Amino acid sequence: MQLKIGVMGGAGNDVPDNFLRLAALLGERIAEADCILVTGACPGLPLAAARGASERGGMVIGISPALSLDEHAYHYGSPTLAHDVLIFTGSGLMGREVVNIRSSDIVIIVGGSSGTLGELAIAYDEGKLIGVLTGTGGISDMVKTILETCQKATGARVLYSDDPQQLVTDLLEVYRTEHFRHPSVFCRGNEHEPMLSGAEGKRDAVCGMTVPPGQAAARRKREEVEYVFCSLRCAEKFDERPRRYLESTTE
């Protein structure tokens, strides 16, 4: 399954050209890495990223606040071009933010104001891997201060860079080597916890969460060893790359 990278940022029409170019480079790199780009289906910086990804042949999914295509285009004045799929949530701008974040494996913040701040808060609270493209104004240049003020341990990991292509490369490296084990607060265990068995339950080979006896969402058997999973998502990840997880459980 391809990773989904959400680009959340300023949706205004008065964004400086150099910021738009940086967002486009983000989209290009996401497509080149064979990842799916997720945006709020809005103008501004997310649209620039969508165009960049589209030009490189990448898939772009737009999460719309609208109930229909007409409402999307005429009420919200949002774009349809450069998106392969538009999902109409009917949730309004604030409700759409939750869907944006939960649909993304990795979240990147670019510029932005109050809406982007809301998306940052959701991503951080839910333990996402977050990238911040610095030097693009707005919220992105205040994230460090905001998070230092919060002082809240959520499991989120935040990377900063003013180079859009390097930022995507670094995020993918961290996700694939570390963060894949606990991609969100809803699926996070202690990776240092020993494998448990018997009445105590077993540890999910993908996310590390301890699965109580009789509560596994899925099971798999490899070489006479049974593995249990807290969710179908973890089981699917195991099916895609079993060797990766089998090797990590024997280290």
Side-chain angles (χ1 to χ4, degrees), residues 44-164:
L45 293 168
L47 177 58
R51 285 173 170 160
S54 183
E55 288 173 2
R56 289 291 188 273
M59 173 172 279
V60 181
I61 297 176
I63 310 294
S64 172
L67 189 62
S68 66
L69 180 59
D70 281 350
E71 187 179 36
H72 175 83
Y74 298 112
H75 177 72
Y76 288 100
S78 293
T80 57
L81 297 177
H83 294 82
D84 297 287
V85 178
L86 285 174
I87 297 175
F88 301 110
T89 64
S91 300
L93 294 172
M94 293 182 68
R96 182 267 312 272
E97 292 174 2
V98 176
V99 183
N100 284 350
I101 301 307
R102 292 184 178 170
S103 299
S104 304
D105 298 301
I106 298 169
V107 175
I108 299 179
I109 302 297
V110 189
S113 57
S114 59
T116 307
L117 178 60
E119 287 160 331
L120 169 67
I122 296 165
Y124 189 78
D125 262 10
E126 297 193 353
K128 291 286 187 178
L129 176 59
I130 303 168
V132 180
L133 185 59
T134 56
T136 53
I139 293 302
S140 63
D141 290 335
M142 302 175 66
V143 171
K144 277 189 178 181
T145 302
I146 292 169
L147 297 184
E148 286 171 359
T149 302
C150 292
Q151 293 187 344
K152 183 178 182 181
T154 65
R157 176 85 179 269
V158 186
L159 305 185
Y160 301 86
S161 178
D162 60 1
D163 181 333

Side-chain angles (χ1 to χ4, degrees), residues 12 39 73 79 131 138 141 156 158-159 162 171 175 184 187 205 211 224 227:
T39 78
D141 290 335
V158 186
L159 305 185
D162 60 1
L171 287 165
Y175 189 92
S184 78
C187 186
V211 181
E224 303 305 314
Y227 298 89

